[in-house]
Amino acid sequence: MRLVVIGVNHKTAPVALRERLALVGDDVNIALKQLETFTDGSVIVSTCNRTEIYALVPVVTEAASQYEAQETTAVSGSDHVSAADINAHVVKIKTWLADFKQLSLIDIEPYLYVHRDTHALTHWLRVAAGLDSMILGEPQILGQIKRSVHLAQEQKVLSNQLGWIVDQVFAAAKRVRNETKVGAQAVSLSFAAAKLVTQIFDDLPSRTLLVVAAGEMNRLVATHIAGLGVGRVIICNRNPERAEALAAELRHPDRRVEVRTLQELPQVLAEADIVSSCSGSMDLLIDKTMTVQALKRRRYQPMLMIDLAVPRDIDSSISRIDDIYLYSVDDLQHVIAGNIEQRRQAAVDAELLVSQLVVEVDRRFQVRQVGKDIQQYRAHTQDKVDKLLHESIAKLQQDDVSPEEILIELSRRLTQSLTHSPSKLMRKAAREGDSELLNFVVSGLKDTHRGR
């Protein structure tokens, strides 16, 4: 399938490395354009838990000369790439990633995983279905992949073939969610964050939630926590329109919702009992000095800080301050309980369905590709026939040559040309003892002679 996946996730790399490899903001657009120079299309998925590059390995053989060079088969795959070629491109992508992030390949390679062909397709489908997430079955990842695909489309780096694969992945992921219970029950990062709140605070109507950045993840967190009965919500965001949109969703007669600028963060931090931050910024938004000052102003009342960003928004050293409870995305894995066991049981059914769907997609892909192979084979055969025909016409224009002899010669040369490849394939199968292939070719040729 020429598809490769190279990346890291929460199972292979710690959050400190994941945040260094994260591709966010303008980095994604620049990276997609650079990848375009040595791939046949790519999609970059970079979230709190993973950074992955999905790419098609380019064909190295020239289509025009392929049949001349590989006539040991009747039809040679138009998208054939050797294992060595794929490995060479994998190394190229790994090297590019290290250089792009200004890291040593030797340092990051132990944490990188690589999947190829149908294994890559299986991985992508498992990721899209939530089977590879920190929170088993969480639905947010599918939306994140869709946004990643949209970015690739905007940069015009999503080739037709990669676009077809993406469509199959989305359709298959939808079936997994609809036909299994792996997505049932509310178990997600936002649910885990809300559960933390209930474990630390009990008088929620008197508590204030500070939402730093109004992206999709924080919207979900704010919705969950506000639904617990928090009496006040403050939203700090660079984009005021997006903050106002989230505020409109959260407003309730029993809850006060305010919108502040990101520049006001140091002032409003002291008013927050609960902080949820997920900005996608490359810089820290809440540092130790800011937190110590806020803690003094609130007379050392406990604060719960939830940092869902990669790279992190909140200085990790804050966790050592008394009365501060700081949780990163990795920490939340240890908080989740309850419905996760049910999802694990449902995941068995989901994994079986994924295996079946991968086979189905692979078959559709082969059918799709064989159409190109047949088209090229016919074009190559037609070129041969046209060449012989033009030579015969040229001879007919000579007075000293018999037309009958020319036609007989043309017939002989056409027969020899059209039977050369299948004859060579049968001899090769016989020499190697491949009776299955030999019987298949002989049977197919007999059907052709019978007019089937």
Side-chain angles (χ1 to χ4, degrees):
M1 191 171 282
R2 300 198 292 121
L3 179 67
V4 298
V5 182
I6 300 172
V8 296
N9 63 16
H10 59 283
K11 292 181 286 189
T12 70
V15 65
L17 179 60
R18 297 204 308 273
E19 65 185 7
R20 295 184 71 187
L21 287 172
L23 293 164
V24 296
D26 291 337
D27 275 359
V28 178
N29 296 333
I30 296 171
L32 286 169
K33 282 298 186 183
Q34 291 186 8
L35 284 168
E36 185 184 22
T37 62
F38 56 91
T39 68
D40 280 349
S42 62
V43 172
I44 295 173
V45 177
S46 190
T47 71
C48 299
N49 293 327
R50 70 185 64 247
T51 292
E52 297 178 329
I53 298 168
Y54 296 82
L56 282 183
V57 173
V59 178
V60 294
T61 53
E62 295 183 6
S65 62
Q66 187 171 0
Y67 291 97
E68 297 288 350
Q70 298 183 8
E71 283 197 330
T72 54
T73 58
V75 178
S76 183
S78 60
D79 283 349
H80 172 75
V81 184
S82 71
D85 293 330
I86 293 177
N87 290 335
H89 280 90
V90 166
V91 171
K92 186 179 291 188
I93 295 172
K94 284 182 178 180
T95 304
W96 168 85
L97 178 61
D99 291 343
F100 189 84
K101 299 304 295 184
Q102 297 182 332
L103 297 169
S104 166
L105 179 58
I106 295 175
D107 292 338
I108 69 172
E109 192 160 29
Y111 302 95
L112 293 172
Y113 47 79
V114 178
H115 302 292
R116 302 169 177 82
D117 301 316
T118 53
H119 295 290
L121 177 63
T122 301
H123 176 79
W124 203 349
L125 211 166
R126 291 186 72 256
V127 171
L131 296 174
D132 195 58
S133 298
M134 179 186 291
I135 313 301
L136 183 64
E138 60 94 3
Q140 284 79 25
I141 184 62
L142 186 57
Q144 291 165 332
I145 294 175
K146 288 181 177 179
R147 285 190 289 276
S148 298
V149 169
H150 181 67
L151 286 176
Q153 289 172 326
E154 285 186 336
Q155 295 300 313
K156 303 186 187 306
V157 299
L158 191 71
S159 61
N160 289 336
Q161 189 176 76
L162 188 56
W164 182 87
I165 294 174
V166 165
D167 290 341
Q168 308 308 305
V169 168
F170 287 159
K174 184 177 180 181
R175 280 192 60 184
V176 172
R177 291 194 174 277
N178 289 341
E179 298 178 22
T180 71
K181 294 182 179 180
V182 72
Q185 308 298 329
V187 180
S188 63
L189 283 173
S190 54
F191 178 81
K195 189 155 188 175
L196 269 178
V197 173
T198 61
Q199 291 174 347
I200 296 174
F201 302 105
D202 48 11
D203 52 342
L204 293 179
S206 66
R207 300 297 177 177
T208 296
L209 166 66
L210 172 60
V211 180
V212 182
E216 179 63 17
M217 180 56 72
N218 251 358
R219 184 188 73 79
L220 293 168
V221 171
T223 301
H224 272 84
I225 296 177
L228 297 174
V230 171
R232 183 186 178 201
V233 178
I234 302 172
I235 304 170
C236 286
N237 194 57
R238 286 191 178 89
N239 186 324
E241 290 80 10
R242 195 165 189 175
E244 287 293 351
L246 177 57
E249 288 186 44
L250 298 178
R251 285 194 174 96
H252 187 273
D254 298 327
R255 181 168 51 250
R256 185 155 52 103
V257 181
E258 306 166 27
V259 173
R260 304 286 187 89
T261 65
L262 204 58
Q263 288 72 27
E264 296 177 86
L265 181 57
Q267 288 74 45
V268 299
L269 185 61
E271 303 174 37
D273 301 290
I274 308 154
V275 180
S276 177
S277 187
C278 188
S279 73
S281 171
M282 299 302 292
D283 302 314
L284 288 175
L285 299 183
I286 301 175
D287 58 28
K288 188 174 182 179
T289 301
M290 187 191 306
T291 304
V292 169
Q293 292 174 349
L295 203 57
K296 287 180 180 178
R297 288 172 55 197
R298 56 187 284 111
R299 298 181 180 181
Y300 299 97
Q301 296 180 59
M303 295 178 69
L304 168 62
M305 292 185 167
I306 302 168
D307 190 353
L308 300 175
V310 176
R312 285 175 280 203
D313 287 342
I314 304 174
D315 188 345
S316 60
S317 66
I318 290 173
S319 62
R320 295 191 289 271
I321 301 176
D322 292 340
D323 301 312
I324 297 291
Y325 300 92
L326 175 61
Y327 290 82
S328 69
V329 288
D330 285 352
D331 297 326
L332 290 181
Q333 187 175 19
H334 305 293
V335 177
I336 298 162
N339 291 330
I340 195 68
E341 185 57 36
Q342 296 179 31
R343 288 199 173 189
R344 284 188 182 133
Q345 294 172 8
V348 176
D349 295 333
E351 294 284 7
L352 288 173
L353 181 55
V354 164
S355 299
Q356 296 171 10
L357 292 173
V358 167
V359 172
E360 291 179 14
V361 172
D362 189 47
R363 285 175 179 169
R364 286 196 293 272
F365 179 81
Q366 297 302 331
V367 170
R368 187 173 184 266
Q369 289 304 105
V370 79
K372 297 179 181 179
D373 294 333
I374 292 171
Q375 185 178 14
Q376 286 193 357
Y377 183 66
R378 285 178 172 173
H380 175 71
T381 302
Q382 187 62 54
D383 288 342
K384 283 186 172 182
V385 170
D386 290 344
K387 181 180 178 182
L388 294 175
L389 185 59
H390 288 317
E391 291 175 358
S392 298
I393 292 174
K395 289 180 180 179
L396 282 172
Q397 294 173 350
Q398 301 175 11
D399 296 334
D400 58 339
V401 182
S402 165
E404 183 178 355
E405 292 179 0
I406 294 174
L407 290 177
I408 292 173
E409 176 66 12
L410 174 61
S411 174
R412 184 190 66 77
R413 293 181 68 187
L414 280 174
T415 300
Q416 185 179 38
S417 175
L418 295 177
T419 60
H420 175 71
S421 291
S423 299
K424 198 168 184 179
L425 179 60
M426 284 189 288
R427 284 193 294 269
K428 181 175 182 291
R431 282 196 307 269
E432 296 178 358
D434 192 343
S435 58
E436 184 176 351
L437 176 59
L438 181 59
N439 292 335
F440 177 79
V441 175
V442 171
S443 176
L445 293 174
K446 286 180 178 178
D447 288 344
T448 301
H449 290 310
R450 296 190 187 106
R452 294 184 184 178

